[in-house]
Amino acid sequence: MSAVLVAGLLAGYGIAMPVGAVATYLAALTTRTSLRTGAFAALGVATADGLYALIAVVGGSTLTPLIEPVMLPFRWASAAVLVALAVRGGVTALGAYRGGAAATHDGSAPPTPARAYLTLLAITLMNPMTVVYFAALVLGSEAVAASAPAHRAVFVLAAFAASASWQLLIAGGGALLGRALTGERGRLVTALASSTLITVLAVRLLLPSS
């Protein structure tokens, strides 16, 4: 049981820790909203990782050939959504900066925690490489591949917990950044910087090396 628990924790941190477009968007979202909204968004990312870990332990080696044919469309869809979010974040920040405090009420309302959760869940689910990653780990680990259903459940829960803890850490960092940069100019600079970075990372999804 302990070997499966450790394997699940390592798998969860392994998929969550690389900082990409989703993590950048999560931090930026928390910066301009609240820690509560960011926490729900973080759990959306972790839920997607947990679901893919569950699919991996259930499906095993049958998953990879089924996913490979749709890998490119998923990458394009994921990149398109991330670019749209980046543009929306940049436009909203510019409108708020130019219009002052009133612009924050005239523009689109900040996402509710539930909406933030569903948005990050959907974005993360658009990366089918996650399930390939978990499937490779499951098949490559004798402790997991040959384990009982209860042990596999421990693997999935551990992967979810690891991902959730890391995503919540990122959200917490975004909240601290938001409190530190309370001025209008600071919020504008960070919003535009995060939008630019999200766009670059989204474009990288379409590169052959990504």
Side-chain angles (χ1 to χ4, degrees):
M1 178 75 75
S2 60
V4 175
L5 175 63
V6 172
L9 290 172
L10 293 177
Y13 282 121
I15 195 64
M17 288 183 71
V19 176
V22 173
T24 303
Y25 177 71
L26 172 60
L29 174 66
T30 311
T31 297
R32 67 175 185 267
T33 56
S34 66
L35 179 58
R36 182 167 179 262
T37 299
F40 271 79
L43 292 177
V45 178
T47 300
D49 289 342
L51 286 174
Y52 273 146
L54 176 62
I55 293 172
V57 298
V58 172
S61 59
T62 62
L63 295 173
T64 301
L66 296 176
I67 292 173
E68 285 179 347
V70 296
M71 189 76 70
L72 185 59
F74 265 114
R75 284 186 176 182
W76 275 99
S78 180
V81 169
L82 289 168
V83 168
L85 289 171
V87 171
R88 182 176 181 272
V91 170
T92 300
L94 283 171
Y97 179 73
R98 291 174 178 173
T104 60
H105 301 287
D106 295 336
S108 59
T112 62
R115 180 181 173 186
Y117 173 87
L118 293 175
T119 298
L120 270 295
L121 171 64
I123 292 174
T124 310
L125 285 174
M126 286 182 179
N127 182 15
M129 278 304 297
T130 303
V131 71
V132 175
Y133 164 83
F134 279 117
L137 289 179
V138 169
L139 295 173
S141 172
E142 295 181 1
V144 179
S147 63
H151 288 194
R152 294 191 176 203
V154 169
F155 174 86
V156 173
L157 291 175
F160 168 80
S163 177
S165 65
W166 184 257
Q167 304 303 337
L168 288 171
L169 179 63
I170 293 175
L176 290 175
L177 183 62
R179 284 194 288 269
L181 300 176
T182 55
E184 292 181 2
R185 187 182 298 274
R187 291 188 179 275
L188 173 65
V189 170
T190 55
L192 293 180
S194 66
S195 294
T196 301
L197 181 55
I198 291 170
T199 301
V200 171
L201 293 170
V203 171
R204 287 187 61 189
L205 291 175
L206 305 178
L207 298 179
S209 58
S210 59

